[in-house]
Amino acid sequence: MQRAFTTGTGLGWHEHHPLLFSGTERFFRAGYNAHLVPEWIPALDGVDERLRAGAKVGDVGCGFGTSTIVMAKAYPKSTFTGFDHHSKSIDTAREKAREVGVADRVSFETAGAKDYPGKGYDMVAFFDCLHDMGDPVGAGRHVRETLAPDGTWLIVEPFAADTVAENMNPVGRVYYSASAMVCTPCSLSQEVGLGLGAQAGERRLRKVAEEAGFGHFRRATQTPFNLVLEARA
Ligand SMILES: C[S@@+](CC[C@H](N)C(=O)[O-])C[C@H]1O[C@@H](n2cnc3c(N)ncnc32)[C@H](O)[C@@H]1O
């Protein structure tokens, strides 16, 4: 950690103590259980209907796969693949899918955001991970290439306003701390090393989506802790 701060070379997700991985899952799980199916997916244009009918969904940077499993339980006709470049998290995600009994419609694969396999996804989701990536624009370009022509990129990011001054509140303080210790070093450790961090804000995230070639971008909904963003080609 000291090396990361003194050299600026960053610290990869996999270099942290394993409790970060389980702690992150516990931190975000309540939000996904409460909001993802009843609020966030219905706020996207036509996506709930598509997932009810049977759609192909990718969940990139899925960690322990909690968001993937929450969606799979709600949409039994759809198929879901969770991707993460951290293979130990993928092992845990597979175990969880088996325990919950959704392994028939969910699979998990170790893959990075710029090279995960498959094409024709109706939705590709990034939950609380785009800002951790070194090359979020490159990741967005890969999403464009792998989405169906009318597919949706769902980006859930920590809630943030566009200026530091506006983020000087209890939620912003928590996220800036996590960002300095985990998210920004993670991004700096990867190719490009953009270092968006957990308080990027909608304006900066819109720029990422536009640079990746997405023509439509909007805030679909929000909670005090989450920005829920929708991008389409
Ligand atoms: C803050 S965690 C979020 C995990 C999960 N989406 C959740 O909400 O619980 C960020 C995740 O992004 C993954 N990640 C970071 N950079 C990545 C990349 N370039 N490609 C794929 N996964 C990446 C990390 O391994 C980690 O599991």
Side-chain angles (χ1 to χ4, degrees), residues 7 14 24 46 49 53 61 115-116 119 121 123 142-143 150 158 178 210 217 223 230-231:
T7 64
H14 62 283
T24 299
E49 294 84 333
D115 60 11
Y116 64 84
K119 293 251 183 222
Y121 290 98
M123 179 172 84
H142 189 61
V143 173
D150 54 351
E210 285 172 356
F217 181 93
T223 74
E230 176 188 69

Side-chain angles (χ1 to χ4, degrees), residues 13-14 21 24-25 28-29 32 59-67 83-86 89 111-114 126-135 182-183 186 190:
W13 184 258
H14 62 283
F21 316 139
T24 299
E25 191 275 337
F28 287 127
R29 186 199 309 153
Y32 301 152
D59 185 357
V60 176
C62 67
F64 281 10
T66 301
S67 51
F83 301 105
D84 200 290
H85 69 172
H86 185 233
S89 290
K114 293 200 291 187
F126 280 49
F127 293 98
D128 290 292
C129 61
L130 183 66
H131 64 272
D132 294 305
M133 295 177 182
D135 185 9
V182 180
C183 315
C186 180
Q190 297 183 20

